[in-house]
Amino acid sequence: MDSLSHIVIGAAIGEVFLGKKIGRWGMLIGAIAKSVPDFDLFVTGLTDPRAYMCDHRAHTHSLFIEALYAIPIAWLLVKLFKQQVSFKRMLVFLLACLWSHSLLDWCTNFGTQLLLPFTNENYSLNTLAIVDLLFTLPMLVMVVTAVFYKRNEERRGKLAKASIIYCFIYIGLTFINKVQANSLVEESIAKNNIAVTSYMTNPTMLNNVLWYGVASNDSTVFIGEFSLLHKQNAITWHSYARNQHLMQQCKSKKDVEILRWFSDPYTIAEANGDT
């Protein structure tokens, strides 16, 4: 999920858990705490594709590891705010921020290693685009508006709670859209007699109405785009040769292993000169 969404939701969680205790500091701490799992980018960076694929959304996003590092952070925050907030409340607040970060990322399509160190499998529900304006902007407006109200004003807390409720409702609607998208893709694959062994659906960027399907077999990947607002329109499928024999010829066996771990059964290989 994009950083702005995490920041906004974290600020709302901070207001709900800590707002009446430490004022606007609750929103600030919530925004930071909700962003902590993505601090792994300081290690992986954005320029090394191997590090990014293997280590982003990895250890810092693990539900188990998050529970471990939440404990010392909660203890430090309790000390920092001179015990205005109990340790138990601070710990629950941090877990709400950290776990909701990972679970929200789980809804997108990059893959999140939720169960490290027990397994390095990438989990993704593919129900939500990494950036979705209709998801983020209403919550942003509500949280920014809440900032201008004083600590004891009831409307501030209500706006924070409303943004969290909106988050849950919107995510619930994406699951309904996902069921519709899967149904359309399955129907189209059968109608076009496309022989596939796997398929997935995912919303396109910035919205949850325009979707695409990706299907594959041993030799080919098929991609088709469609709109949930025009279900009657036939999906046009475009095919791409997977060229798996090129993967076997590749000298960098480690790179091939990483690609297959991350992307199979949707990997595609192409020849570029002698590469």
Side-chain angles (χ1 to χ4, degrees), residues 3-258:
S3 297
L4 180 58
S5 296
H6 286 309
I7 288 170
V8 169
I9 297 170
I13 294 172
E15 172 59 30
V16 170
F17 276 90
L18 308 176
K20 290 187 178 180
K21 301 286 186 180
I22 58 176
R24 292 187 180 91
W25 283 105
M27 285 190 175
L28 178 60
I29 294 172
I32 295 172
K34 186 78 160 59
S35 304
V36 164
D38 279 343
F39 287 2
D40 60 8
L41 289 172
F42 291 114
V43 177
T44 67
L46 297 171
T47 57
D48 184 344
R50 296 172 190 82
Y52 188 76
M53 290 168 69
C54 294
D55 298 321
H56 178 47
R57 294 200 187 180
H59 292 85
T60 59
H61 288 66
S62 162
L63 299 176
F64 175 73
I65 296 174
E66 284 171 337
L68 292 181
Y69 69 73
I71 295 172
I73 295 175
W75 182 84
L76 287 172
L77 289 174
V78 169
K79 294 294 183 183
L80 179 64
F81 288 98
K82 303 183 185 217
Q83 300 186 343
Q84 296 178 63
V85 182
S86 69
F87 174 79
K88 180 180 178 181
R89 188 173 187 84
M90 189 67 79
L91 181 60
V92 172
F93 151 73
L94 281 171
L95 291 176
C97 287
L98 298 173
W99 283 351
S100 65
H101 180 116
S102 297
L103 294 176
L104 190 58
D105 282 354
W106 180 32
C107 292
T108 63
N109 72 335
F110 181 83
T112 307
Q113 297 177 57
L114 292 171
L115 300 181
L116 280 172
F118 308 108
T119 174
N120 69 343
E121 183 173 350
N122 273 311
Y123 296 95
S124 57
L125 295 175
N126 299 5
T127 61
L128 187 65
I130 290 177
V131 180
D132 187 330
L133 295 180
L134 193 57
F135 175 67
T136 305
L137 291 182
M139 292 187 293
L140 176 63
V141 171
M142 286 187 278
V143 169
V144 169
T145 303
V147 171
F148 292 97
Y149 288 97
K150 294 181 180 179
R151 181 191 303 189
N152 295 323
E153 289 193 55
E154 189 177 351
R155 189 168 296 179
R156 185 166 130 180
K158 285 184 176 180
L159 284 168
K161 291 176 183 176
S163 63
I164 294 174
I165 292 170
Y166 178 85
C167 174
F168 277 105
I169 291 174
Y170 192 90
I171 290 174
L173 291 174
T174 68
F175 280 90
I176 296 174
N177 287 347
K178 175 74 172 181
V179 171
Q180 296 182 72
N182 283 353
S183 177
L184 289 172
V185 165
E186 289 173 3
E187 181 181 334
S188 179
I189 288 174
K191 186 175 182 180
N192 287 279
N193 295 315
I194 302 174
V196 299
T197 54
S198 300
Y199 82 89
M200 68 175 181
T201 59
N202 201 74
T204 60
M205 201 62 75
L206 304 180
N207 77 105
N208 205 259
V209 175
L210 304 176
W211 287 61
Y212 64 93
V214 183
S216 74
N217 55 36
D218 290 339
S219 61
T220 311
V221 165
F222 304 89
I223 300 178
E225 298 176 330
F226 56 95
S227 169
L228 296 181
L229 298 179
H230 302 92
K231 300 175 187 176
Q232 71 280 5
N233 293 349
I235 299 175
T236 299
W237 293 95
H238 303 274
S239 60
Y240 304 88
R242 295 187 63 192
N243 296 323
Q244 294 299 286
H245 65 282
L246 295 177
M247 302 275 271
Q248 297 169 0
Q249 297 170 14
C250 181
K251 295 179 181 178
S252 179
K253 302 302 180 186
K254 184 64 175 177
D255 284 350
V256 170
E257 182 182 332
I258 292 171

